[in-house]
Amino acid sequence: MIVKKSEAMTSNRSYISKKFKPHVSILEWKSYEWQLKNSIRNIEDFESFMGIQFAPKERKALNKTIEKFPLSITPYYASLIDPENYDDDPIFKQAFPNPAELKVSNYDMRDPLHEDKDSPVKGITHRYPDRVLFLISNCCAMYCRHCTRKRKVGDPDHVPSREQIMTGLDYIRQHKEIRDVLLSGGDALMLPDNFLDWILTELNNIPHIEVIRIGTRTPVVLPYRITDELVEMLKRHHPLWLNTHFNHPRELSPSARAALRKLANAGIPLGNQSVLLSGVNDCPQIMKKLNQKLVQNRVRPYYLFQCDLSEGLNHFRTSIGKGIEIMESLIGHTSGFAVPTFVIDAPGGGGKIPIMPNYIISWSNNKTVLRNYEGVITTYQEPDDYKSVTCDRNCVKCKLQLNLKKDEKGSIGIEKLLADGDKTISLVPKGNARLDRRKGHNGKAS
Ligand SMILES: *Cc1c(COP(=O)(O)O)cnc(C)c1O
C-alpha cells in the first residue's frame, strides 16, 4: 500500500506543480536555489500550498510552536505529503510542527549527547579516539521536527565563520590520532560548492587524515542540491563517504533516487542513518521496505538510532523494545547488508551503544548454544586445542606479521579488561564509597 501511494504521489510531478504551484516551470522546480527561496516558513503558506485550513485554535498553537522551533520545508518535500490524509502522513510528521514539541519532560536535555561539552574547540566534537565530528554549517534545507540539534536550528550565534573552521582544521592538524573526519552541521551540503571544496582540500592535505565523511539530508529533502557540478567537485576528494538520512520508504522518490544515482556513480560509498520515530517508521514492515529500497539504490543502511532525549522530541520517542523488535524482523529475514546497526547514543556523551536481540542462549566449556532468526536452536562445538596468540601490543615478536609500530597508548575500556598482559581487573565508577573507605586508596581499582 505504502509503495503504491508513493509512486502515485511522486511520479507525476506536473500533477503536483499544477495542483500546488500553477506558475512553476519544471526547470525552476528542479533548481535547488528556487526550492530554498520558496521554502515554506509559516503556517499560512503551508495552508495555501496544501489547499488545507487549520482551525484558528490549531493555528495559534502551531504558531506558538514555531516561535520556539522554527518551520522550514522545501516545496519538494512538502509535495510528497498526501493532502488527502496529511495528519497521519510520515512526511508531514517529519516536516510540520506539532504543539507537543513544547511539552518538555523531566528527562529532556538541551544537549543530551554533550556534544558541546566534548568540544575542545568550537565546532569539533572529539569523542572517539581516532575520529571527530566537525560541524561546518548551521543551515539545513529543511528543519526536521525530530532534529537532535534542535537547540541550534536557525540560531545566528551558531553560524560557523571561516575563522572557526580554520580553528577546527588546526585542531585536526595538531592531533595525529585523528584519521577520520565527519563533516556535519546543520547540513554539510548547504555550504556553497567552493567553500566545501576548500574544506575538503585542507583536510585532504593533512597526512594523517585517511577518510572524510559527509553527513547530509539533502538527497531526502532537497535532492536537486546534488548537481553535476557538486558531484564533479566531490569526486576530486576521494576517499569520501557520504551518509544520508532516509526514514521512510516514501522518501525514495524518483528525484531522490536520481540524486543517489549521481553520488553512487561518482564512486562515493553511500550509507544511511535512520531515526526510529513514533508514528513515522516504528513498524518492522516499513523498516524492512525502507532498507530494501535503500540497497536497491546502492545505499548501505548504517545506523538505526533510538530517538535522543533532546527537548521537543518526546512525542517521537518509542520504547527501545520497538527497535529490538525491528532488528529481530530484519536479521536473517532480509539481506545482511540491508540491516543497519541499532544504536542508542548514550545521554551524557557516552557515544553510540549497539543494541541487538540475544542470539546466544547458553554455553559451557566448549559448546555454545545459539538460536537463529527462525527460532532454531543449535550448538557450536568449539575447538579443543585453540590457543590464541598472546598479545603484548608489540608486533616485533609476534608471528601474525602485522608489524605495527608499538602502540603506546594501549587499550581502553572493556577492551583493556580483555587485553593480555594488562593487569587491570575491574573498572570502578568514580566516587565508589566502598573503595573510598579503604584507607590510603589512591582512587584506582586494584
Ligand atoms: C557518531 C559519531 C561519530 C562517528 O561514529 P561512527 O560509529 O564511527 O560512525 C564520531 N563522533 C561523534 C561525536 C559522533 O556522534
Side-chain angles (χ1 to χ4, degrees):
M1 271 315 282
I2 289 150
V3 184
K4 264 200 200 131
K5 196 197 264 173
S6 93
E7 265 145 28
M9 289 299 297
T10 56
S11 63
N12 193 344
R13 181 70 65 222
S14 65
Y15 155 81
I16 287 162
S17 44
K18 263 204 215 88
K19 180 159 170 69
F20 298 121
K21 291 251 167 181
H23 306 300
V24 183
S25 75
I26 198 79
L27 215 69
E28 278 178 314
W29 180 267
K30 292 199 167 193
S31 136
Y32 77 88
E33 288 102 336
W34 183 91
Q35 287 281 336
L36 290 173
K37 210 160 68 217
N38 289 278
S39 280
I40 300 160
R41 289 170 187 280
N42 59 55
I43 307 299
E44 294 68 35
D45 284 356
F46 185 81
E47 286 176 318
S48 65
F49 186 93
M50 298 294 294
I52 58 171
Q53 267 211 315
F54 296 105
K57 220 174 130 185
E58 274 178 302
R59 199 177 302 141
K60 204 172 152 204
L62 290 167
N63 275 318
K64 220 176 131 198
T65 310
I66 65 176
E67 263 174 45
K68 177 153 187 202
F69 299 119
L71 157 74
S72 185
I73 316 173
T74 57
Y76 160 79
Y77 196 70
S79 77
L80 302 180
I81 298 171
D82 178 357
E84 310 294 328
N85 185 17
Y86 63 88
D87 241 5
D88 289 327
D89 187 293
I91 312 284
F92 175 79
K93 287 187 175 176
Q94 291 181 68
F96 197 72
N98 182 335
E101 292 171 37
L102 297 179
K103 286 189 210 132
V104 177
S105 92
N106 288 344
Y107 306 102
D108 292 351
M109 297 174 259
R110 273 179 66 78
D111 178 21
L113 310 180
H114 284 191
E115 286 181 332
D116 296 343
K117 284 188 187 139
D118 280 343
S119 173
V121 299
K122 229 177 166 191
I124 295 256
T125 302
H126 195 170
R127 168 162 307 152
Y128 296 105
D130 67 341
R131 54 208 189 280
V132 289
L133 174 67
F134 191 7
L135 304 181
I136 56 172
S137 146
N138 97 319
C139 300
C140 278
M142 183 184 94
Y143 296 160
C144 303
R145 304 321 294 180
H146 57 276
C147 180
T148 188
R149 302 198 188 106
K150 247 178 154 159
R151 69 190 184 280
K152 292 188 177 178
V153 166
D155 179 351
D157 286 348
H158 283 103
V159 180
S161 62
R162 206 182 168 88
E163 284 66 42
Q164 184 184 319
I165 287 173
M166 297 223 283
T167 314
L169 288 167
D170 275 339
Y171 179 85
I172 295 168
R173 249 181 236 113
Q174 285 155 16
H175 289 260
K176 294 210 167 55
E177 71 274 21
I178 301 169
R179 37 167 291 287
D180 173 8
V181 178
L182 282 77
L183 299 176
S184 186
D187 194 308
L189 291 189
M190 288 303 282
L191 294 178
D193 290 6
N194 57 5
F195 196 59
L196 190 59
D197 192 15
W198 167 69
I199 297 172
L200 291 169
T201 307
E202 291 296 310
L203 287 171
N204 277 138
N205 286 340
I206 303 175
H208 53 269
I209 297 307
E210 296 172 8
V211 62
I212 302 170
R213 313 186 227 175
I214 287 181
T216 178
R217 209 183 182 204
T218 55
V220 189
V221 296
L222 184 61
Y224 313 123
R225 174 65 186 100
I226 312 303
T227 60
D228 294 339
E229 297 74 34
L230 174 72
V231 169
E232 278 307 308
M233 183 277 282
L234 295 176
K235 255 166 95 168
R236 293 200 305 273
H237 297 286
H238 277 309
L240 182 69
W241 292 55
L242 189 143
N243 267 330
T244 183
H245 175 41
F246 286 88
N247 286 328
H248 194 280
R250 264 191 38 211
E251 294 174 326
L252 284 143
S253 71
S255 295
R257 299 205 305 262
L260 296 173
R261 191 156 54 239
K262 279 188 195 183
L263 292 164
N265 286 349
I268 302 172
L270 300 175
N272 186 68
Q273 312 196 148
S274 301
V275 187
L276 187 51
L277 298 170
S278 171
V280 173
N281 60 10
D282 52 340
C283 156
Q285 296 312 310
I286 291 176
M287 288 312 286
K288 193 192 283 179
K289 193 72 191 161
L290 168 66
N291 289 306
Q292 290 171 340
K293 274 194 155 198
L294 285 167
V295 298
Q296 227 179 325
N297 289 282
R298 291 183 280 173
V299 181
R300 169 75 157 96
Y302 182 45
Y303 283 138
L304 168 63
F305 284 98
Q306 176 71 11
C307 189
D308 286 331
L309 290 160
S310 293
E311 256 178 41
L313 305 190
N314 232 325
H315 61 299
F316 277 127
R317 288 170 53 207
T318 66
S319 62
I320 294 176
K322 183 50 75 175
I324 296 178
E325 179 192 349
I326 287 171
M327 294 309 289
E328 186 73 70
S329 77
L330 294 176
I331 298 170
H333 297 270
T334 191
S335 317
F337 58 78
V339 181
T341 304
F342 177 43
V343 292
I344 301 181
D345 221 329
K352 298 178 189 72
I353 299 172
I355 309 287
M356 272 247 250
N358 292 329
Y359 289 93
I360 299 186
I361 289 186
S362 193
W363 68 96
S364 71
N365 179 44
N366 58 358
K367 255 192 231 178
T368 303
V369 182
L370 306 153
R371 62 98 178 175
N372 78 349
Y373 74 102
E374 301 164 307
V376 170
I377 295 179
T378 189
T379 53
Y380 180 85
Q381 175 74 46
E382 302 195 44
D384 293 329
D385 53 0
Y386 171 67
K387 279 202 183 66
S388 83
V389 178
T390 314
C391 177
D392 60 357
R393 297 229 154 202
N394 186 356
C395 292
V396 176
K397 283 179 259 157
C398 179
K399 288 183 290 200
L400 290 177
Q401 302 188 349
L402 183 59
N403 293 331
L404 285 182
K405 271 194 287 187
K406 183 159 170 66
D407 185 345
E408 302 293 346
K409 286 221 176 71
S411 45
I412 60 163
I414 311 299
E415 186 198 16
K416 185 179 175 73
L417 295 182
L418 294 175
D420 298 323
D422 192 301
K423 297 214 164 48
T424 313
I425 290 169
S426 46
L427 304 176
V428 181
K430 234 193 194 148
N432 178 292
R434 179 173 57 85
L435 290 186
D436 285 348
R437 279 192 298 272
R438 290 188 186 177
K439 212 176 154 220
H441 175 61
N442 60 5
K444 275 189 199 137
S446 55

